[in-house]
Amino acid sequence: MRSIWKGAISFGLVTIPVKVYSATEQRDVSFHQVHRKDAGRIKYKRVCTVDGEEVPYSDIAKGYELPGGEIVVLTDEDFADLPLSTSRRIDVLEFVEDDQVDPIYFAKSYYLEPDGTGSKPYVLLREALEQSGQVAIVKVALRQRESLATLRVRNGIFVLETMLWPDEIREPDFPFLEEDIEIRKQELAMATSLIESMEGEFDPSQYKDAYREALQAVIDAKIEGKEVAKPEAEEGEEPAADLLSALRASVEAAKKSRGEKKPAAKKTAAKKAPAKTAAKKTAAKPRTRKSA
């Protein structure tokens, strides 16, 4: 891996030099736009809408459009002069419980590696943070953008999770939230049963990107000049008559997929019934002897 940023964790009066690495990578199959006729690559020119001339990349700046359509031009120098106190620091602001941070705030994950003489203070903060069971709320500037972030430990390494700002989280404003929707007890019980029947331990290795694999198979077939095999369509199930029936069928399907057998309630009841009858007959005999 190649580091994308160098700086330091600022923890009180302690400074821990670190290198930052992207912790994730997209595995999508990438494509180029090409001419369908001859597979020629499609290229785009940077053309100015005012004079119609092609503009070299070195002459391109960022423009902020005003409501009236006017453009305010900002250069690299304008961005360089902005006061970023965290330009080379990861400032620890406070420590909080992990479950206090809603995952909706998380944006991107990075690994932090100690740099130079930073190994000992790195390990010290890591051990203290792990023992506390908390995460650090920090502020960091990456790629000219200051962000809130959390600092936590994963497999002995600090993971920096950049976060969105509170005003970047949209409020859900959906009409159904104002409706008075009635849920029957049977439906809730069946939905709870469905959740219980699908409980398990999360193991990400058991999941795969089936679409990407199928797409890669199509590409490989074209490279080898073979006929592209179409995947068999899955058989669709008949829709249930009502919600309760759908839930009940889902529970049965979930149990079947896990190899669970249906409880033999009727058989158990049938076996117990004779025992009760026999008990009654046994209890009746002493009374017969006494009356005699």
Side-chain angles (χ1 to χ4, degrees), residues 4 27 32 42 49 64 85 104 106 123 147 162 232 253:
I4 63 168
R27 289 295 184 91
H32 295 295
I42 303 299
T49 58
Y64 179 81
S85 60
I104 198 172
F106 293 140
V123 172
S147 302
T162 56
E232 295 183 4

Side-chain angles (χ1 to χ4, degrees), residues 165-184:
W165 294 99
D167 60 357
E168 293 178 312
I169 305 298
R170 301 171 67 183
E171 288 294 329
D173 184 17
F174 304 126
F176 87 94
L177 294 172
E178 305 296 328
E179 299 176 11
D180 185 15
I181 301 175
E182 183 180 355
I183 299 297
R184 293 188 293 166

